[in-house]
Amino acid sequence: MTNCIYGIEKFEHRTENYKLINSDIVCDVDVCIIGSGAAGAILGTKLAESGKSVVILEKGGYYDGESMNQREADMIPLLWKNAGANFTSNLRIAIAQGSCLGGSTVINDAVCFRIPQIVIEQWQRMGVVITTDEWDKANDEVSERINVKEVTEDELNTNAKKLREACGKFLYQGNLIQHHYKNRRNCGPSISDKSLKSCVKCGFCHLGCHYDTKQSMLVTYIHDALVNEKINYKVYCNCRADLITSENGIADGVNATFVDSNGLETYRIRINAKVIIVSTGAIASSNLLQKSNIGGNNVGMGLALHPAPFVMGLFDEEIHGNRGIPMSYTCHEFGVTNGVQKGGFLIESIFLPIFQMALAIPSMGLDHKRMMQNYNRYTMAGIMSRDDSVGKVLISYNGNPKVIYNLSEQTIEDMARGMSILSRMWFNIGAKAIITSHIDAYEIGTKADIPKLKDAVRNNPDGLMLGSAHPQGGNRMGENENECVVDSNCKVFGFDNLYVCDASVFPTALGVNPQLTVMALATITANKIIKNWKSQDISKSLGNICHITQPRYCKTEQISEQFAVVDHNEKLLQSLVNSDEDKIIVGKNWKFNPKTLQIYNNIYWKGFYGRDVDAITTALRYFGGFYKRFGYKNNRIEGVTHPFETQVINAKSIASEKQVPGYGKVVHLEYQDFPFSNAYDLLKIVDENTILGKAFLGQFGRGRELFSFSMSKIYDVDFLTKQDLLTLFNSDELSHKPNEKELIGKWEGMLVSDSSLSPRSQMFYFDYEDGEIDMRYSFANMLHGRSDITITDNSIFRLDDQTPFHDEIRMVTPEFAVGLWISEWSSRNILEPIIQDLLRYYPIKILNSDSLKDKLSFLKNFYLPGIRLPKELGLSFLQVEENEQKETRIGLSYILMRI
Amino acid sequence: MCVTIYSIKGEITGIKTDFFTKLKIQAMDSDQQFFEDYNDDLLGSAWTNSDGSFKITFDNSTFSDNWLEKSPEIYLILRSSETGQIIYKTEVIKIDANRKNKTTEVIEIPITIPLDLIENKIRLLSTSTDIYSNNSQRILSAFSSLGDVTTLNNSNAARNFQLLTSSINAWVNYTNESTWKRIGYDGPQVPRYPLKSPDHNHRLTWELTQ
Ligand SMILES: Cc1cc2nc3c(=O)[nH]c(=O)nc-3n(C[C@H](O)[C@H](O)[C@H](O)COP(=O)(O)OP(=O)(O)OC[C@H]3O[C@@H](n4cnc5c(N)ncnc54)[C@H](O)[C@@H]3O)c2cc1C
């Protein structure tokens, strides 16, 4: 069977066809879907069934029912996003989202509500062109497949029955409330245990369904596609999409990385696709668009969370709320499903397994222990508020999503009212006390004290411990391009073939649990994509995967493996010889391609170590950036090997083709002078611009292999050298002084060194503030500030801050700029103390330090007491510029990429 | 010079399921009583066979000079094949070798280690079969990256501290079976390793008692 789930976790046994990944992959496909949750799974199956080849990338792992062992300590880290540690930026709201094959549908409570008519109409007024009829049809289709049925009487547990009883007796403004019903849920026959026809009622919905009766995406749409031999469908798990690449309104592919359970990046994958759909769920979808510099400033705006405080009743009798279906009964009286146009809330029965309960109860110490002791005697329900879309998703220094959210007045009021009503309900049916999620009023002994709870919520909303399982919005859907990110087809404005389809496109909070609406939207969107399918060329990009033509992206082991199987191309021996000139001549021995952002440099072969992250390779990359330069001399090819930073080391060699046992025909690089003559390299020329190499210590033919490396004449700007940067910077043809408008936006900065690393170093934000351009920076996530912008000078765009340094920036393309953080020109004597000062704070390597000992001596600056350097900064690279007239200036060089 | 060849013939007994993955067995000399383990000499090592048997052979040349004066004190270290982590150390085995008159001698040392002693530890350490083994790591790395996405206000320091301590309290106490028992929490309804207990049933304890 070709349909398969791939991943990097080893398992003894899996329900579905599962294979391990053991190399980088490039894959051409009709449709690439990112995220396998409520939306992604349905889009994937429907598009594959329509005849398209489909690849799904899923960040989480593949865990089948048999792996779901009902233990919170085991399952939350496996199935929940960020192992459950997922919060708003002020830590006040814990946001639950799934991160596994099947997404949040694997850990949700299986409650299914249709999109309320009020919301359909509100969204239509906000520019969403989807009719009630379309929603109905899609809801019918999904409900049929995932088996949405009303819970039966015997599926109501004691907790749910208590809520029903409480609703049944509750008088609101003198009248008994009317709107409270049993829920509809998606449970049905198990794919793994044929004797199970529906819910087992174990109560562990949040930890995945061991019995496979919850009809999550994993056991429905994804399963259907995997077993359908007529379609072409692949899922890559443990695979995090990092970047969507695009050109002129065409998204051409996705770069993604396989990440293991320790967070280590292993292999990479490049997908070239005709259509790309982002379905990574609210928050993550905005983050991916932001990282890919897609969608502009509307991305991340308008996030809603359905924040939900809880209220528990303490009863004399045992309730055992954990036994049975946690969410099977809902009071709709005060919510959108009962005609409330703005705000409002549902009261939903819920119960939590013990660890989540311990987290939720806001008391401490003995109080907490006492309350937990009563675990079996609580009833529990949540106030799920239809909040205003006041949240924002920003991108953090390290590229992660930062969720800014403050409760609106309306939501605070709804919560105060909802908690008060629910407290009354529990007291009315005999509760002895009430436990709430507010730290100032977590225990209420009598009905008379309920106003205190209301006041606490109103006066100190920050005191609420809130949970959200329904983040929505952030990439608003609608027809107004100025406010929205996608149109009613879920197509991203400005793109022909890029879609976002998941809870992130909701224009407002839905007011009911969202999974069915997400699934219906995916159904509608899939139908539209199929109907409007236009054939399109597929890009042949390799992204940043390890490939024989771009070994700079390979790990050492992968280079070594390729060395073993690739033949040396004897015809290309001459291409070893570099340009005669030893200075850059733009257009001749040095070129820049602004489209691909690649440098062609024939002054030398730039060397690359593996992309491994182990200590030795990292150290090599920091210290030992090297190049090899070859020329014709004495009727033979002679070469020199230089570390970039130390011009003095200059290992001379002779290159000749030889037959070497075990390796076949290779180029032998014989070093001539002591101490290098103890070592030799074997090279295989792959093509005119690519060489694979191995370094040996010892006598030729019998040496001990030290490491594998590669060399190239073409490399991306991520590997820019200082010389390349200055060439771009100083050329009026290749770069220009930016004007304000060109710079508006967010930029990610990477330090340029001559080693093989460009560590991420800073973020720049340019924006208009009261009509004037304003610039903020964040350096190494430690120093934050604002700079003054000067554009008066003819050639220089400069930014000044409080340091003796200023920035000078030049634009290369609209998305790419080069910069210097540099001092004023002055005499070496004046600068010396500044250099010393810098050395105290940053382990900076000075250009002209010659010996390795000198270099290493800076290591002692790594651990200054009290000062912690971010790991990616490592050894940064001080640049010293000398000029006869202007004397000396020092600084750092960096590139800026728009994000 | 007298040469003594030592041959440790060992077996891990009681293996019946398919989960048993090979282990690295190291024979150590524990004669340096005043030092920590890591100063002990490694005498030899071997992998276990699929039936749990193993054999390690070495001779007295591996030992430190003064060893000849006394009897060898050997113990074994069992390590996970995947992570190298130590699963089990045996007691010291004293060998009373009387070899004064011989030039060459082979001493066989039989040893059995019951699987029960090490089974749990193997399961915990084996990354290929234990999908839950990295959980603490996952949680720690999630928490450690929180700094990147939070902006904490000093005025809320006490509240944030409370949040942290209650999270730790919940993790330490309420993922713990003895607490569950004390509270009367029903707990999970399936074994921790459902796949390895193919006979487990899909009935709920509270329904069985009703
Ligand atoms: C505990 C809990 C209980 C819930 N209960 C209910 C309920 O009872 N009823 C209801 O209607 N709704 C419920 N929900 C909400 C519902 O499940 C979600 O609203 C719905 O699944 C959202 O669908 P989605 O496609 O937008 O995202 P998700 O289903 O969350 O799927 C997104 C997927 O994308 C993956 N992803 C993220 N980033 C990347 C990346 N960079 N690369 C690759 N993949 C990535 C994620 O790992 C995830 O698997 C609940 C949610 C939770 C967390």
Side-chain angles (χ1 to χ4, degrees), chain B residues 75-112:
Chain B
Y75 67 97
L76 303 181
I77 294 178
L78 279 61
R79 287 180 187 273
S80 148
S81 61
E82 305 254 341
T83 61
Q85 282 162 291
I86 295 178
I87 288 168
Y88 185 68
K89 281 186 201 174
T90 64
E91 299 284 304
V92 171
I93 310 155
K94 288 207 170 165
I95 294 150
D96 199 12
N98 178 8
R99 54 189 189 282
K100 290 241 163 65
N101 307 325
K102 296 185 187 164
T103 50
T104 303
E105 184 185 35
V106 177
I107 296 184
E108 293 207 346
I109 309 163
I111 178 164
T112 50

Coordinates of all heavy atoms in Angstrom, one line a residue, chain B residues 75-112:
Chain B
Y75 N 31.8 -7.1 39.4 CA 30.3 -6.9 39.3 C 29.9 -6.5 37.9 O 30.8 -6.1 37.1 CB 29.9 -5.8 40.4 CG 30.4 -4.4 40.1 CD1 29.6 -3.5 39.4 CD2 31.6 -4.0 40.5 CE1 30.0 -2.2 39.2 CE2 32.1 -2.7 40.2 CZ 31.3 -1.8 39.6 OH 31.7 -0.6 39.3
L76 N 28.7 -6.6 37.6 CA 28.2 -6.3 36.2 C 27.4 -5.0 36.2 O 26.6 -4.8 37.1 CB 27.4 -7.4 35.7 CG 28.1 -8.8 35.7 CD1 27.1 -9.8 35.0 CD2 29.4 -8.8 34.8
I77 N 27.5 -4.3 35.1 CA 26.6 -3.2 34.9 C 25.8 -3.5 33.6 O 26.4 -3.8 32.6 CB 27.4 -1.9 34.7 CG1 28.2 -1.4 35.9 CG2 26.5 -0.7 34.2 CD1 29.0 -0.2 35.8
L78 N 24.5 -3.3 33.7 CA 23.6 -3.5 32.6 C 23.2 -2.2 32.1 O 22.7 -1.3 32.8 CB 22.4 -4.3 33.0 CG 22.5 -5.8 33.1 CD1 23.6 -6.2 34.2 CD2 21.2 -6.5 33.4
R79 N 23.4 -1.9 30.8 CA 23.1 -0.6 30.2 C 22.1 -0.8 29.1 O 22.1 -1.7 28.3 CB 24.3 0.1 29.6 CG 25.3 0.6 30.7 CD 26.5 1.2 30.0 NE 27.5 1.6 31.0 CZ 27.5 2.8 31.6 NH1 26.5 3.7 31.4 NH2 28.4 3.0 32.5
S80 N 21.2 0.3 28.9 CA 20.3 0.3 27.8 C 21.1 0.4 26.5 O 22.0 1.2 26.4 CB 19.4 1.5 28.0 OG 19.0 2.0 26.7
S81 N 20.7 -0.3 25.5 CA 21.4 -0.3 24.2 C 21.2 1.0 23.5 O 22.0 1.4 22.7 CB 21.0 -1.4 23.4 OG 19.6 -1.3 23.1
E82 N 20.1 1.7 23.8 CA 19.7 2.9 23.1 C 20.4 4.1 23.7 O 21.0 4.9 23.0 CB 18.2 3.2 23.1 CG 17.4 2.0 22.7 CD 16.8 2.3 21.3 OE1 16.8 3.5 21.0 OE2 16.4 1.4 20.7
T83 N 20.3 4.2 25.0 CA 20.7 5.5 25.6 C 22.0 5.3 26.4 O 22.6 6.3 26.8 CB 19.7 6.0 26.6 OG1 19.5 5.0 27.6 CG2 18.3 6.2 25.9
G84 N 22.4 4.1 26.6 CA 23.6 3.8 27.4 C 23.4 4.0 28.9 O 24.3 3.8 29.7
Q85 N 22.2 4.3 29.3 CA 21.9 4.6 30.7 C 22.0 3.3 31.5 O 21.7 2.2 30.9 CB 20.6 5.2 30.9 CG 20.6 6.7 30.6 CD 19.2 7.2 30.4 OE1 18.6 6.9 29.4 NE2 18.7 8.0 31.3
I86 N 22.4 3.4 32.7 CA 22.5 2.2 33.6 C 21.2 1.7 34.0 O 20.3 2.4 34.5 CB 23.4 2.5 34.8 CG1 24.8 2.8 34.3 CG2 23.4 1.3 35.8 CD1 25.8 3.2 35.4
I87 N 20.9 0.4 33.8 CA 19.7 -0.2 34.2 C 19.8 -0.9 35.5 O 18.9 -0.9 36.3 CB 19.2 -1.2 33.1 CG1 18.8 -0.3 31.9 CG2 18.1 -2.1 33.5 CD1 18.5 -1.2 30.6
Y88 N 20.9 -1.5 35.7 CA 21.1 -2.4 36.9 C 22.5 -2.6 37.2 O 23.3 -2.7 36.2 CB 20.3 -3.7 36.6 CG 20.3 -4.6 37.8 CD1 19.5 -4.3 38.9 CD2 21.0 -5.8 37.8 CE1 19.5 -5.2 40.0 CE2 21.0 -6.7 38.8 CZ 20.2 -6.4 39.9 OH 20.2 -7.3 41.0
K89 N 22.9 -2.7 38.4 CA 24.2 -3.2 38.8 C 24.1 -4.4 39.7 O 23.3 -4.4 40.6 CB 24.9 -2.1 39.6 CG 25.5 -1.0 38.8 CD 26.3 -0.1 39.7 CE 26.5 1.3 39.1 NZ 27.1 2.2 40.1
T90 N 24.9 -5.4 39.5 CA 24.8 -6.6 40.3 C 25.6 -6.3 41.6 O 26.4 -5.4 41.7 CB 25.4 -7.8 39.6 OG1 26.8 -7.6 39.4 CG2 24.7 -8.1 38.3
E91 N 25.4 -7.2 42.5 CA 26.3 -7.2 43.7 C 27.7 -7.7 43.3 O 27.8 -8.3 42.2 CB 25.8 -8.3 44.7 CG 24.4 -8.1 45.2 CD 24.3 -7.0 46.3 OE1 25.1 -7.1 47.3 OE2 23.6 -6.0 46.1
V92 N 28.6 -7.4 44.2 CA 30.0 -7.8 43.8 C 30.1 -9.4 44.0 O 29.6 -9.9 44.9 CB 31.0 -7.1 44.8 CG1 32.4 -7.7 44.6 CG2 31.0 -5.6 44.5
I93 N 30.7 -10.0 43.0 CA 30.9 -11.4 43.0 C 32.3 -11.7 43.5 O 33.2 -11.3 42.7 CB 30.6 -12.1 41.7 CG1 29.3 -11.6 41.1 CG2 30.7 -13.6 41.7 CD1 29.3 -11.6 39.6
K94 N 32.5 -12.3 44.6 CA 33.9 -12.6 45.0 C 34.3 -14.0 44.5 O 33.5 -14.9 44.5 CB 33.9 -12.6 46.5 CG 33.8 -11.3 47.1 CD 34.5 -11.2 48.5 CE 34.5 -9.7 48.8 NZ 34.8 -9.5 50.2
I95 N 35.5 -14.0 43.9 CA 36.0 -15.2 43.4 C 37.2 -15.7 44.1 O 38.2 -15.0 44.2 CB 36.3 -15.1 41.9 CG1 35.0 -14.8 41.1 CG2 36.9 -16.3 41.3 CD1 35.1 -14.0 39.9
D96 N 37.0 -16.8 44.7 CA 38.2 -17.3 45.5 C 39.0 -18.2 44.6 O 38.8 -19.4 44.6 CB 37.6 -18.1 46.7 CG 38.6 -18.1 47.8 OD1 39.7 -17.4 47.6 OD2 38.4 -18.9 48.7
A97 N 39.9 -17.6 44.0 CA 40.7 -18.4 43.0 C 42.0 -18.9 43.6 O 42.8 -18.1 44.1 CB 41.0 -17.6 41.8
N98 N 42.2 -20.1 43.6 CA 43.4 -20.6 44.1 C 44.3 -21.1 42.9 O 44.1 -22.2 42.4 CB 43.1 -21.8 45.1 CG 44.4 -22.3 45.6 OD1 45.5 -21.8 45.4 ND2 44.3 -23.4 46.4
R99 N 45.1 -20.3 42.4 CA 45.7 -20.6 41.2 C 47.2 -20.6 41.3 O 47.9 -20.5 40.3 CB 45.3 -19.6 40.1 CG 45.5 -18.3 40.6 CD 44.9 -17.2 39.7 NE 45.5 -16.0 40.3 CZ 45.0 -15.4 41.4 NH1 44.0 -15.9 42.1 NH2 45.6 -14.4 41.9
K100 N 47.7 -20.6 42.5 CA 49.1 -20.4 42.7 C 50.0 -21.3 41.8 O 51.0 -21.0 41.3 CB 49.5 -20.6 44.2 CG 48.9 -19.5 45.0 CD 50.0 -18.8 45.8 CE 49.6 -17.4 46.3 NZ 48.5 -17.5 47.3
N101 N 49.5 -22.6 41.7 CA 50.4 -23.6 41.1 C 50.3 -23.7 39.6 O 51.0 -24.4 39.0 CB 50.1 -25.0 41.7 CG 50.2 -24.9 43.2 OD1 51.1 -24.1 43.7 ND2 49.4 -25.6 43.9
K102 N 49.3 -23.1 39.1 CA 49.1 -23.3 37.7 C 49.6 -22.1 36.8 O 49.6 -21.0 37.3 CB 47.6 -23.5 37.4 CG 47.0 -24.7 38.1 CD 45.6 -24.8 37.7 CE 44.9 -26.0 38.5 NZ 43.5 -25.9 38.4
T103 N 49.8 -22.4 35.6 CA 50.2 -21.3 34.7 C 49.0 -20.7 34.0 O 48.9 -19.5 33.7 CB 51.3 -21.7 33.7 OG1 50.8 -22.9 33.1 CG2 52.6 -21.9 34.4
T104 N 48.1 -21.6 33.6 CA 46.9 -21.1 32.9 C 45.7 -21.7 33.5 O 45.7 -22.9 33.8 CB 47.0 -21.5 31.4 OG1 48.1 -21.0 30.8 CG2 45.8 -20.9 30.6
E105 N 44.7 -20.9 33.6 CA 43.5 -21.5 34.3 C 42.3 -20.8 33.7 O 42.3 -19.6 33.4 CB 43.6 -21.2 35.8 CG 42.5 -21.7 36.6 CD 42.6 -21.3 38.0 OE1 43.0 -20.1 38.3 OE2 42.2 -22.0 38.9
V106 N 41.2 -21.5 33.5 CA 40.0 -20.9 33.1 C 39.0 -21.0 34.2 O 38.7 -22.0 34.7 CB 39.4 -21.6 31.8 CG1 38.1 -21.0 31.4 CG2 40.4 -21.6 30.7
I107 N 38.5 -19.8 34.6 CA 37.5 -19.8 35.7 C 36.1 -19.4 35.1 O 36.0 -18.3 34.4 CB 37.9 -18.8 36.8 CG1 39.2 -19.3 37.4 CG2 36.8 -18.7 37.8 CD1 39.6 -18.5 38.6
E108 N 35.2 -20.2 35.3 CA 33.8 -19.9 34.7 C 33.0 -19.3 35.8 O 33.0 -19.8 36.9 CB 33.2 -21.1 34.2 CG 33.9 -21.6 32.9 CD 33.0 -22.4 32.0 OE1 31.9 -22.7 32.4 OE2 33.4 -22.6 30.8
I109 N 32.4 -18.2 35.5 CA 31.5 -17.6 36.5 C 30.1 -17.5 36.0 O 29.8 -16.8 35.1 CB 32.0 -16.1 36.8 CG1 33.5 -16.1 37.1 CG2 31.2 -15.5 37.9 CD1 34.2 -14.8 36.9
P110 N 29.2 -18.4 36.6 CA 27.8 -18.4 36.1 C 27.1 -17.3 36.9 O 27.3 -17.0 38.1 CB 27.3 -19.7 36.5 CG 28.2 -20.2 37.6 CD 29.5 -19.4 37.6
I111 N 26.2 -16.6 36.2 CA 25.4 -15.6 36.9 C 24.0 -15.5 36.2 O 23.9 -15.6 35.0 CB 26.1 -14.2 36.9 CG1 25.2 -13.2 37.6 CG2 26.4 -13.8 35.5 CD1 26.0 -11.9 37.9
T112 N 23.0 -15.4 37.0 CA 21.6 -15.2 36.5 C 21.0 -14.0 37.1 O 21.2 -13.7 38.3 CB 20.7 -16.4 36.8 OG1 20.8 -16.7 38.2 CG2 21.0 -17.6 36.0

